[in-house]
Amino acid sequence: MPLGEPPSGVTFDGNGLCLEPHACSTPGIKSKVALLAASKMPSTVSLNKVEGSQTQTSVTLHWDAPASTGGSPVTSFEVYRDDGLGGNFMRVDVLPTASVVPNTDRSTSGNEYTFIGLITGRRYNFFVATCNKRGCNNGPVYGPITATSPPEQPDAPIKSHAQYNPPFINLTWAVPASQGLPITHTEIDRDDGDEGPLSKLVDVDSPQVFYIDSSVVAGEKYRYRIRVHNTQSTSMYSDVVTYIAAGVPSRPDPVQLVSQSKTSIKVSWSKPADNGADIDLFVLRRDDGLGSMLTQVYRGSDFIFESTGLATNREYAFSVSARNFAGESLASEIVRFRSAAMPGPMPQPLLSASSCAQGSVTFAWEAPADDGGCPLQRYRVLMNGQSAQGAELPVSMREFSTAGFSCGELYKWTVQAKNCLDIYGPESPVLETYIASLPARVTGLNATHVSATELLYSWTPLSGISQIGSVDATVLKGYELWMDDGQGGQFTQTFNGYNKPFQTTFLASGLLPGWTYRAFVRAINVAGPGNHSEVLFRTMSIEASAPRDLMVALAGSTTVACSWKPPREDGGETLSNYVLEYAPGPNFSAWSIDGPFPHGTAFSQRVENLTQGAVYQFRIKAVSKAGDGFYSNIVSRMIGSPPLSAPAVLTRTATTASSMTWAWASLPLAETGSAALGGYRLYMNTGRDDATHLIYDGSAEPAVTEFTVHSLVCGWTYRAEVAAVTVIGEGPRSPQAAFRLATEPSQPLRVEVSSSNDNSIGLVWDSPEDSGCAPIELYQLERDSGSGFETIGNVSAPIQSYTDSSDLQPGSVYIYRITARNEALQKFGPYSAYVTAYAASPPGRVRNLGYVSSTRTSMTLSWLPPLHTGGQAIIVDAYHVQADDGLGGQFSDVAIATGTYAIIGHLSPGRNYSFRVAAETSVGIGPFASYSQISAALPGWPDVPLVQTVPGYKHRFRITWNEPADSGGSALLGYMVISDDTCDRYDGTSVVAVNSVQIRCAEGKTHQLRVAARNIVGWGRSSPSVSRFCGSEPGVPKNVRLKVYIPATLVDMTDMRTPDAMTITWDVPEDDGGAPVEQYHLFRDEGDGRGVYTLVYAGTSTSATLHSLTQGLTYRFYVLAINS
């Protein structure tokens, strides 16, 4: 070892021991100095942050190898940082140099160091000291760096608006969590519109969250993504989204009415401006005619649609919207059309009165049979094709009077009606009228006896202008005959010849023999009745009238049985007998009298010994004291056998609402009897369960085997029988056949899908408007699964619903139709309107409805699609977004979105708006999900809070914060302190004045603490988190001192210092703060008294040996104890 010189005045023995102990308190002999240090210190190194390495509590820094080692190998790197609050630097670690690779940009070890245990939100500064034997050279300070993670990945940007001319795309986005540092700007990347690579388009400085991209080409599609930057780091890119440089189509014009009926409305629409993107389809929506919400009834590319199966006289609302790649346009203005038609034609008007003197005319009419499906409102009278004066009449008036015309002029009148459609229907048939005076007195009245009870009256017809009352002879309407009762009583009208101007005779019957009857006649024209004629007197007394209803029936091969009824009038005398006569053919001139004469009270007689096969005519007359009466009708009869049997199989073959066709089988030749078949006679009752009577006599038409009866009453049951006829007579009648008069029911109405899911489809319908005059018996349902309609089931009335669960494929579309049959006919009526259904349910409720962002006048809502769209192949077509007026009013559509977001603008600041969203598929609209929000933005986030321990408590924190810079446009209401992301340690919902609180913590546990502010909208983003251990800081280490050696003997050294090193030691603090002391930090100044301290030791020991000190300098030290 080096040798040195002994100090003066001190004596040592041969072993170097001090011979004078009192003089041996100073060091022994010093060796000679060995100069081993380099000539100079190494050059400094600069720090850089390793990209992507930073978290909320750590950061990795990199440095290159020093440019110069100073002539001696680098012995170590000492890494330093401050406390993040602007305090002194402390040495964190000492690194060996073996891992440092010179002349490299990056290395995984040695020239990188990860600083851990940082407190989130603090701003730290760093440097590295490069050391060799000569000493350490401090590098430049790097920082400050805030302890925080990169911002979170943002959501993809949202297109809030786009336009075709000039072209632009307006983007907006939500700012993600910044993780402690304010977002400085947002980077937007975009491709070239031709699917090229994405490149940076622009940087948008915060706090702006929108950008108008006007560098796009109209009609092109562009892909976008964004990422956000803070002062230290950058987030991950968002998802890529595609938008077109075009707007949604312009709002279409209101739909136009094409045609309408009682059960259908056909509408059309025009194509709006597509605003840069081709229109793919149109969506037509309609309500139920009762004011319900409009639902989709058509989606496709056509410009016309007929909505069928509607209820009569409802006012249906229609609206159409257009879709292109950019989205769906606003719905057109709602227009309403009524399910009704124009009124049917008016019946013929009838003239009531006319006056030549006053030049007036009055006529009346009846309402049309068909009102078109809605009530009539007014009538209009047309004269000679033009609207007459005062011609608009309320529906309660069905008579029209007018004056001021010239006598004898011809006028043509028609009437129209209009209903709720406010359109006049077709005109009535023309009523032609002349202006006329009353007719003149009728002359030439006479009466001739026809029978004991009948008088034939006749008179002279009027002629000429003076008699008829007009130049137009057609104004004469006819004549009226008036008679008394034969006993001098009042006159009553016996004959009304109105509209019979050419009838000038009348047979008065039912008169009594011996009575004298008075009569007069008068004419009537369009102006009214004229004066009556002179009164005519006639007394009744004549021969008996003809016997009635002479019938001749076969009673054998050569015998007939004759029968008759007495005369209606015996002429006032008792009948003595009848005279029955017959004459053979072919001339029928030789009449024979059959005797003896039947008595006046007999009404039948047989005539025998006639020639078989010959034709005879028969007649009869009554005889009284007044003489022979009139002959009866002549009856012809061939002598022989009539048909032997009745036609078979009498049945009904066709019906209408007022007619029925009967048909029967032809009679076999062997059953026709003694003569060739002449034809058939059909008998039917009146439908009142009465006896049948002859309705068809086809005696001369043997080939006719059917007959149609008209003017029947629908719904009544009719009985009929048929008989064959020859020239000889009529054969037996067939058994009676009975059928109800009915028609096929009309189509079932309003077929609708009542429910649907993957396994079943429920249908409901209304009964036909016309049951066909018989109760509905059965409904038949048919389904088209893609290969034509097939019957799937029958439903007995009165049930009007059906659930189809047979062989349905989930998500497939099916078409249904229904037909009805009544109890009277075994034939189904016409099919209902088709209804399309999916083997799927309406979509479920949208999920997680909430707002993405809001401003004072707009709100961005987002949601998740429903868990169930209703079926396997069913997709959501659109979402209906509705809002009220912010004052609790009615909901209305504010957007129809094809994506899962919507931006609602034009809101009134500060109002509490209610929103609701429902998904729409081809099956229908699902239930609404609701959400309410004030039209204001959320407050900003407070700065990093200050967290301190509370003196004297190991289980409490004091947390202090400042008000956020942005209140969101609404007054702040309070704050909330959140611990460990889940626990609200302080909820000051309505206490805005408090910005510093004490909270309890779990002693010995590290907590993450942050603060959020609340306004009327809700809670804003929370501040960056601060990591803090629960407990107090350790106490001050005691008795910091120079470490000395405890000598074994009195001559041993106690001072352990060397010229360039010393050892400092200390005692542990009296209070560890509730957690064990984990580390001690020893700080030293530079020995120059400036008060700049540097961390020179960090470790668990309570002593540290410091090297590279300068001999002769006085150093000052202090120690900190650190727990968790």
Side-chain angles (χ1 to χ4, degrees):
M1 80 185 273
L3 300 177
E5 297 294 331
S8 59
V10 179
T11 303
F12 297 91
D13 62 9
N15 295 321
L17 297 177
C18 182
L19 297 178
E20 300 180 17
H22 65 277
C24 293
S25 61
T26 59
I29 299 172
K30 297 180 181 178
S31 68
K32 293 181 178 180
V33 175
L35 298 178
L36 301 178
S39 60
K40 58 182 179 179
M41 291 185 292
S43 60
T44 62
V45 295
S46 298
L47 295 175
N48 289 290
K49 184 173 67 174
V50 176
E51 191 68 29
S53 68
Q54 187 172 356
T55 71
Q56 290 184 325
T57 58
S58 68
V59 65
T60 300
L61 301 181
H62 160 82
W63 63 93
D64 295 333
S68 171
T69 64
S72 175
V74 174
T75 58
S76 64
F77 291 100
E78 296 182 355
V79 290
Y80 291 81
R81 70 164 172 83
D82 64 4
D83 60 358
L85 299 174
N88 294 325
F89 282 91
M90 60 189 76
R91 189 174 68 186
V92 177
D93 205 348
V94 178
L95 303 180
T97 60
S99 61
V100 177
V101 181
N103 301 319
T104 59
D105 291 334
R106 290 288 186 270
S107 174
T108 58
S109 61
N111 58 348
E112 289 185 359
Y113 184 78
T114 300
F115 292 84
I116 61 174
L118 306 182
I119 297 176
T120 302
R122 291 190 181 183
R123 297 167 59 82
Y124 289 90
N125 293 280
F126 306 87
F127 71 84
V128 173
T130 309
C131 302
N132 61 12
K133 288 294 186 178
R134 175 66 185 272
C136 296
N137 196 4
N138 294 343
V141 174
Y142 177 73
I145 295 177
T146 303
T148 181
S149 300
E152 291 185 358
Q153 179 186 19
D155 293 332
I158 296 172
K159 179 194 72 176
S160 62
H161 186 55
Q163 186 171 293
Y164 176 68
N165 186 21
F168 69 81
I169 298 176
N170 191 359
L171 300 176
T172 184
W173 56 89
V175 178
S178 65
Q179 304 295 5
L181 284 179
I183 301 297
T184 59
H185 64 279
T186 301
E187 174 189 331
I188 303 177
D189 290 4
R190 192 199 75 191
D191 69 357
D192 57 0
D194 196 24
E195 298 188 352
L198 279 78
S199 60
K200 181 176 177 180
L201 173 65
V202 69
D203 285 332
V204 179
D205 293 335
S206 296
Q208 183 172 316
V209 290
F210 66 90
Y211 176 72
I212 300 176
D213 184 4
S214 57
S215 63
V216 295
V217 177
E220 297 294 334
K221 296 178 182 177
Y222 293 88
R223 294 179 296 142
Y224 292 90
R225 67 182 181 186
I226 63 171
R227 62 179 178 177
V228 297
H229 299 255
N230 60 24
T231 54
Q232 296 182 178
S233 55
T234 304
S235 72
M236 295 176 61
Y237 278 109
S238 70
D239 294 335
V240 176
V241 290
T242 301
Y243 298 122
I244 190 169
V248 299
S250 297
R251 187 182 190 185
D253 292 334
V255 299
Q256 300 294 316
L257 178 67
V258 176
S259 63
Q260 62 195 140
S261 71
K262 295 180 182 180
T263 58
S264 68
I265 297 175
K266 182 183 287 187
V267 296
S268 66
W269 54 89
S270 58
K271 180 180 179 181
D274 58 20
N275 292 334
D278 292 339
I279 292 177
D280 301 318
L281 55 85
F282 298 95
V283 179
L284 180 69
R285 295 178 172 86
R286 189 206 74 207
D287 70 354
D288 61 357
L290 298 173
S292 69
M293 187 177 70
L294 275 65
T295 58
Q296 176 179 308
V297 294
Y298 170 76
R299 56 193 294 266
S301 57
D302 289 339
F303 293 87
I304 191 168
F305 177 75
E306 183 172 13
S307 191
T308 60
L310 306 181
T312 300
N313 195 26
R314 287 188 185 177
E315 195 170 54
Y316 288 88
F318 290 86
S319 179
V320 69
S321 58
R323 290 186 186 175
N324 61 11
F325 184 85
E328 183 166 337
S329 72
L330 289 176
S332 68
E333 180 182 345
I334 292 176
V335 291
R336 291 176 168 82
F337 305 115
R338 189 171 294 276
S339 52
M342 290 191 304
M346 294 285 296
Q348 170 76 54
L350 298 176
L351 183 66
S352 302
S354 175
S355 172
C356 187
Q358 298 178 3
S360 64
V361 64
T362 301
F363 55 90
W365 58 87
E366 296 295 330
D370 181 10
D371 63 4
C374 62
L376 298 178
Q377 293 183 341
R378 297 189 73 78
Y379 294 106
R380 180 169 66 182
V381 177
L382 303 179
M383 182 184 73
N384 297 331
Q386 302 295 323
S387 181
Q389 183 177 4
E392 293 275 351
L393 302 175
V395 72
S396 59
M397 294 183 61
R398 292 203 295 271
E399 185 177 77
F400 180 72
S401 296
T402 183
F405 300 106
S406 300
C407 183
E409 291 293 325
L410 172 65
Y411 296 93
K412 297 181 179 181
W413 306 91
T414 56
V415 182
Q416 295 175 295
K418 73 175 179 181
N419 58 13
C420 60
L421 295 183
D422 202 29
I423 301 174
Y424 279 104
E427 296 179 36
S428 68
V430 175
L431 169 66
E432 295 184 346
T433 64
Y434 288 91
I435 306 303
S437 298
L438 294 175
R441 181 192 298 268
V442 180
T443 61
L445 178 62
N446 190 28
T448 303
H449 286 91
V450 176
S451 70
T453 59
E454 293 176 314
L455 286 174
L456 179 61
Y457 287 92
S458 63
W459 53 88
T460 302
L462 299 181
S463 62
I465 298 175
S466 60
Q467 291 186 343
I468 294 175
S470 174
V471 295
D472 180 13
T474 61
V475 302
L476 181 64
K477 292 302 177 181
Y479 303 91
E480 295 176 347
L481 180 66
W482 295 71
M483 296 177 62
D484 71 355
D485 58 0
Q487 297 292 310
Q490 290 184 344
F491 284 91
T492 59
Q493 188 182 77
T494 305
F495 166 67
N496 182 2
Y498 194 85
N499 284 331
K500 301 174 184 178
F502 302 108
Q503 183 172 341
T504 57
T505 62
F506 178 73
L507 181 64
S509 59
L511 307 181
L512 297 177
W515 288 19
T516 299
Y517 291 88
R518 294 177 300 155
F520 67 84
V521 68
R522 66 181 182 181
I524 185 168
N525 65 8
V526 294
N531 293 326
H532 60 75
S533 69
E534 294 181 354
V535 177
L536 177 68
F537 293 79
R538 280 290 184 271
T539 301
M540 300 298 299
S541 178
I542 60 172
E543 300 85 359
S545 62
R548 296 173 295 130
D549 300 336
L550 174 62
M551 299 182 66
V552 180
L554 294 173
S557 58
T558 61
T559 304
V560 296
C562 298
S563 62
W564 60 90
K565 293 180 181 178
R568 293 187 181 278
E569 300 297 336
D570 59 9
E573 297 290 340
T574 302
L575 299 180
S576 58
N577 62 277
Y578 291 95
V579 177
L580 180 63
E581 301 176 1
Y582 58 92
N587 296 324
F588 307 108
S589 58
W591 289 94
S592 300
I593 298 176
D594 183 64
F597 297 143
H599 189 268
T601 58
F603 305 111
S604 64
Q605 180 151 314
R606 294 169 68 90
V607 180
E608 301 176 344
N609 300 319
L610 301 176
T611 302
Q612 184 173 357
V615 178
Y616 290 84
Q617 286 187 346
F618 298 84
R619 67 185 181 184
I620 192 171
K621 63 182 177 181
V623 180
S624 68
K625 292 181 179 180
D628 292 348
F630 294 94
Y631 279 107
S632 69
N633 57 304
I634 294 175
V635 177
S636 296
R637 171 64 69 181
M638 177 179 282
I639 307 304
S641 299
L644 305 178
S645 63
V649 198
L650 176 61
T651 186
R652 171 191 60 189
T653 58
T655 62
T656 69
S658 61
S659 68
M660 183 183 300
T661 300
W662 296 92
W664 53 89
S666 298
L667 186 69
L669 183 61
E671 300 295 321
T672 58
S674 302
L677 180 66
Y680 303 92
R681 288 178 181 155
L682 180 65
Y683 299 85
M684 192 182 80
N685 72 344
T686 63
R688 297 182 176 86
D689 201 25
D690 55 344
T692 61
H693 60 278
L694 182 66
I695 60 168
Y696 167 69
D697 188 352
S699 301
E701 299 179 90
V704 176
T705 57
E706 67 176 25
F707 179 72
T708 300
V709 189
H710 297 278
S711 301
L712 304 182
V713 179
C714 197
W716 288 16
T717 299
Y718 293 89
R719 291 182 291 109
E721 50 192 353
V722 67
V725 181
T726 66
V727 294
I728 297 177
E730 179 180 304
R733 298 183 185 181
S734 67
Q736 289 188 353
F739 291 100
R740 174 183 283 173
L741 178 63
T743 60
E744 301 165 6
S746 59
Q747 65 179 12
L749 300 177
R750 291 176 285 280
V751 182
E752 297 177 354
V753 178
S754 61
S755 64
S756 61
N757 55 46
D758 289 351
N759 303 314
S760 66
I761 296 174
L763 302 173
V764 295
W765 59 90
D766 287 348
S767 58
E769 187 173 11
D770 180 7
S771 67
C773 304
I776 299 298
E777 179 183 45
L778 194 67
Y779 295 98
Q780 179 173 290
L781 291 93
E782 298 183 7
R783 182 185 73 195
D784 183 357
S785 304
S787 56
F789 281 98
E790 297 178 348
T791 300
I792 59 172
N794 293 316
V795 175
S796 298
I799 298 173
Q800 293 172 193
S801 62
Y802 182 79
T803 299
D804 179 16
S805 57
S806 58
D807 301 325
L808 297 180
Q809 297 298 319
S812 296
V813 61
Y814 298 91
I815 301 175
Y816 295 88
R817 65 184 184 185
I818 303 174
T819 180
R821 186 182 79 193
N822 59 29
E823 296 176 353
L825 294 177
Q826 295 302 306
K827 185 178 180 181
F828 285 97
Y831 288 104
S832 68
Y834 295 171
V835 62
T836 301
Y838 290 81
S841 306
R845 193 185 306 274
V846 300
R847 300 171 293 138
N848 295 1
L849 173 60
Y851 78 99
V852 175
S853 62
S854 63
T855 69
R856 291 157 178 80
T857 59
S858 68
M859 193 81 62
T860 300
L861 301 178
S862 68
W863 57 87
L864 293 177
L867 286 175
H868 303 289
T869 61
Q872 213 167 25
I874 304 300
I875 62 173
V876 174
D877 289 331
Y879 295 92
H880 285 260
V881 182
Q882 297 186 339
D884 67 357
D885 57 1
L887 301 173
Q890 295 292 324
F891 281 93
S892 61
D893 282 339
V894 293
I896 297 177
T898 54
T900 55
Y901 70 91
I903 300 174
I904 297 94
H906 307 292
L907 304 179
S908 297
R911 289 190 182 180
N912 187 7
Y913 285 89
S914 293
F915 301 93
R916 63 184 188 181
V917 179
E920 179 183 24
T921 66
S922 53
V923 178
I925 296 177
F928 280 95
S930 299
Y931 182 78
S932 295
Q933 181 63 41
I934 301 291
S935 54
L938 291 171
W941 55 85
D943 290 336
V944 179
L946 175 64
V947 181
Q948 301 170 303
T949 57
V950 178
Y953 295 93
K954 297 180 180 180
H955 55 276
R956 291 188 184 181
F957 291 142
R958 172 168 288 281
I959 181 166
T960 305
W961 60 90
N962 293 323
E963 179 180 313
D966 180 13
S967 68
S970 177
L972 296 178
L973 301 179
Y975 299 93
M976 177 169 57
V977 178
I978 305 167
S979 174
D980 298 328
D981 295 326
T982 59
C983 181
D984 297 346
R985 284 300 185 184
Y986 166 72
D987 186 354
T989 301
S990 57
V991 187
V992 71
V994 174
N995 66 346
S996 180
V997 295
Q998 291 187 26
I999 62 173
R1000 288 184 173 273
C1001 57
E1003 187 174 351
K1005 179 182 176 182
T1006 299
H1007 296 276
Q1008 301 292 327
L1009 301 171
R1010 51 195 173 93
V1011 178
R1014 178 181 180 273
N1015 63 8
I1016 193 65
V1017 178
W1019 292 103
R1021 293 181 180 273
S1022 58
S1023 68
S1025 295
V1026 175
S1027 179
R1028 186 74 179 189
F1029 181 82
C1030 183
S1032 62
E1033 295 85 352
V1036 178
K1038 300 296 184 180
N1039 196 19
V1040 181
R1041 61 194 183 279
L1042 184 69
K1043 186 174 182 180
V1044 297
Y1045 177 73
I1046 301 176
T1049 65
L1050 292 176
V1051 296
D1052 288 340
M1053 294 179 59
T1054 59
D1055 191 342
M1056 301 180 64
R1057 286 176 293 178
T1058 68
D1060 62 351
M1062 67 177 65
T1063 300
I1064 303 300
T1065 187
W1066 57 87
D1067 297 334
V1068 298
E1070 294 179 356
D1071 180 12
D1072 61 7
V1077 174
E1078 297 178 350
Q1079 199 175 48
Y1080 293 97
H1081 286 184
L1082 175 63
F1083 293 85
R1084 168 181 68 78
D1085 69 359
E1086 296 298 324
D1088 55 8
R1090 292 185 303 157
V1092 177
Y1093 288 83
T1094 302
L1095 178 68
V1096 294
Y1097 170 77
T1100 58
S1101 175
T1102 56
S1103 65
T1105 300
L1106 306 179
H1107 300 276
S1108 302
L1109 303 179
T1110 301
Q1111 187 173 5
L1113 294 181
T1114 299
Y1115 292 92
R1116 291 181 295 178
F1117 301 88
Y1118 70 85
V1119 181
L1120 295 178
I1122 300 173
N1123 62 13
S1124 56

